[in-house]
Amino acid sequence: MAVKWTGGHSSPVLCLNASKEGLLASGAEGGDLTAWGEDGTPLGHMQFQGADDVTSVLFSPSCPTKLYASHGETISVLDVRSLKDSLDHFHVNEEEINCLSLNQTENLLASADDSGAIKILDVENKKVVRSLKRHSNICSSVAFRPQRPQSLVSCGLDMQVMLWSLQKARPLWITNLQEDETEEMEGPQSPGQLLNPALAHSISVASCGNIFSCGAEDGKVRIFRVMGVKCEQELGFKGHTLGVSQVCFLPESYLLLTGGNDGKIMLWDANSEVEKKQKSPTKRTHRKKPKRGTCTKQGGNTDASVTDEEEHGNILPKLNIEHGEKVNWLLGTKIKGHQNILVADQTSCISVYPLNEF
């Protein structure tokens, strides 16, 4: 049963983030930003001028009261203890920003926008050091790889997933999710696959830095492994009946949270599959083509049959929550020492689900 945090916003919540010290922040439509305590009490609130939606919020790991927030084409730097004014702001993107990511050394901030561009900002010198432009449509998500401060991954509504090194202006590796699906289809395409192209919405990198996940409009979750200057898809599975709007690895694990436009939240354990592939690298080059989850109408129930298990690629959800509202943002974080799922959706509330068994 979810606990609802209310009183922070009057419009739909779009993004969430948590600091190591237990502070939380959320952004909403209309330029609304709120800081929260661990008990769900709003600690501060501000309204950005211009009423652009707050699309991404990001705490500094080394300075837990420092917050980056994107609203429209602007990135503001804030102190959550006093949200009256911005400490600093940057206007480096030409169109609305969808996602922010800090690298592990905290000297670089990536911002992905509607033009498909990713701007890399040197935080200390306050200037753009790279402009990565290869997505041909909206770049929906970007993430630096942990332990690799010069490397990041991105995805977009052009159905492309890219691996970047900041030593180069071009991506090291690109895959088109729709083309890959078509090439690997053993039978005819299902109608659902044609109606729901693999527009990529969200990307998340595991703490190891070599495994990342991507959620797409075709309802499928894909897990990739970085192998030097290229990537290989390790897993592909489907539990959502509509597009996957959010993917989020829990810290220090291969437990993956997914949220969808179908109002479902799922928890997947990719650990055994990832480890199996890691121990048998020779098998990867001759692996079977993965089963296409789009060929089934199953709804991701945890009491799935053997057939469902095959279609998931031998992975079934450990948890299936009927949240009921389209998921805008997912966050797995510890609150008062216990792991929780925080959910932003089409309402003005934040939902909190306990994850005691994990």
Side-chain angles (χ1 to χ4, degrees):
M1 194 71 181
V3 173
K4 298 280 188 181
W5 289 2
T6 60
H9 298 285
S10 57
S11 53
V13 183
L14 301 176
C15 56
L16 299 165
N17 200 252
S19 75
K20 289 183 176 179
E21 304 299 316
L23 289 170
L24 292 122
S26 57
E29 291 183 357
D32 216 23
L33 186 141
T34 299
W36 305 80
E38 285 189 307
D39 60 354
T41 303
L43 300 177
H45 175 266
M46 78 174 294
Q47 184 88 27
F48 289 110
Q49 290 183 349
D52 287 313
D53 296 345
V54 181
T55 51
S56 187
V57 286
L58 191 62
F59 277 99
S60 160
S62 63
C63 182
T65 60
K66 189 177 185 180
L67 183 73
Y68 297 89
S70 62
H71 48 106
E73 300 149 16
T74 305
I75 303 165
S76 290
V77 187
L78 307 150
D79 187 328
V80 291
R81 296 169 296 186
S82 176
L83 287 175
K84 294 176 183 176
D85 295 302
S86 300
L87 302 175
D88 208 343
H89 66 273
F90 306 100
H91 193 111
V92 297
N93 293 77
E94 296 173 5
E95 296 193 26
E96 184 178 38
I97 298 166
N98 299 306
C99 186
L100 299 175
S101 180
L102 265 176
N103 72 345
Q104 198 159 29
T105 51
E106 290 188 57
N107 64 319
L108 299 175
L109 178 70
S111 54
D113 68 27
D114 277 2
S115 74
I118 303 164
K119 300 290 184 178
I120 307 297
L121 180 72
D122 183 320
V123 176
E124 188 177 343
N125 296 317
K126 302 180 181 181
K127 65 178 184 179
V128 174
V129 291
R130 278 286 187 203
S131 184
L132 309 176
K133 186 74 169 76
R134 188 60 184 264
H135 286 285
S136 59
N137 204 326
I138 291 169
C139 184
S140 47
S141 190
V142 63
F144 275 104
R145 295 170 60 201
Q147 306 174 52
R148 293 154 185 84
Q150 293 287 314
S151 180
L152 63 158
V153 288
S154 65
C155 69
L157 300 195
D158 55 1
M159 300 185 280
Q160 297 194 105
V161 178
M162 302 184 187
L163 171 69
W164 302 85
S165 169
L166 295 184
Q167 275 80 33
K168 298 180 181 292
R170 294 178 300 172
L172 298 176
W173 171 89
I174 304 175
T175 189
N176 185 301
L177 300 183
Q178 191 79 7
E179 287 177 5
D180 288 352
E181 296 296 284
T182 305
E183 286 173 10
E184 293 185 348
M185 281 292 290
E186 292 175 338
Q189 282 189 318
S190 68
Q193 194 172 17
L194 298 173
L195 292 171
N196 298 311
L199 312 175
H201 294 309
S202 177
I203 213 159
S204 178
V205 188
S207 300
C208 69
N210 282 328
I211 300 293
F212 69 92
S213 175
C214 178
E217 185 63 27
D218 59 1
K220 192 168 179 183
V221 178
R222 296 162 176 86
I223 293 181
F224 296 90
R225 182 189 298 276
V226 183
M227 303 171 68
V229 296
K230 63 177 183 176
C231 305
E232 184 168 307
Q233 185 174 319
E234 297 278 88
L235 286 170
F237 51 89
K238 186 179 179 187
H240 294 277
T241 55
L242 296 173
V244 179
S245 54
Q246 279 282 296
V247 291
C248 175
F249 274 109
L250 295 184
E252 308 302 329
S253 77
Y254 294 126
L255 289 170
L256 180 71
L257 286 170
T258 63
N261 297 336
D262 56 1
K264 295 177 187 290
I265 298 162
M266 298 185 186
L267 180 70
W268 309 82
D269 186 358
N271 186 59
S272 58
E273 291 296 317
V274 168
E275 284 193 344
K276 192 191 303 178
K277 297 286 179 68
Q278 202 162 5
K279 289 175 182 176
S280 310
T282 52
K283 290 183 181 179
R284 280 204 300 268
T285 54
H286 303 290
R287 61 186 170 86
K288 289 182 181 179
K289 293 177 181 178
K291 302 281 183 181
R292 297 274 69 80
T294 42
C295 297
T296 175
K297 292 184 179 179
Q298 67 86 27
N301 295 323
T302 51
D303 57 346
S305 65
V306 174
T307 306
D308 290 338
E309 194 166 321
E310 288 174 358
E311 285 160 350
H312 279 108
N314 298 320
I315 180 170
L316 293 172
K318 295 288 183 185
L319 190 65
N320 188 349
I321 299 170
E322 292 285 350
H323 180 65
E325 291 277 350
K326 174 183 177 287
V327 175
N328 289 332
W329 204 276
L330 268 181
L331 178 66
T333 189
K334 283 190 175 179
I335 300 175
K336 297 181 179 177
H338 300 287
Q339 192 73 46
N340 288 268
I341 305 170
L342 272 65
V343 188
D345 56 31
Q346 298 297 91
T347 71
S348 60
C349 305
I350 293 172
S351 300
V352 183
Y353 293 92
L355 261 180
N356 299 329
E357 64 269 40
F358 297 94

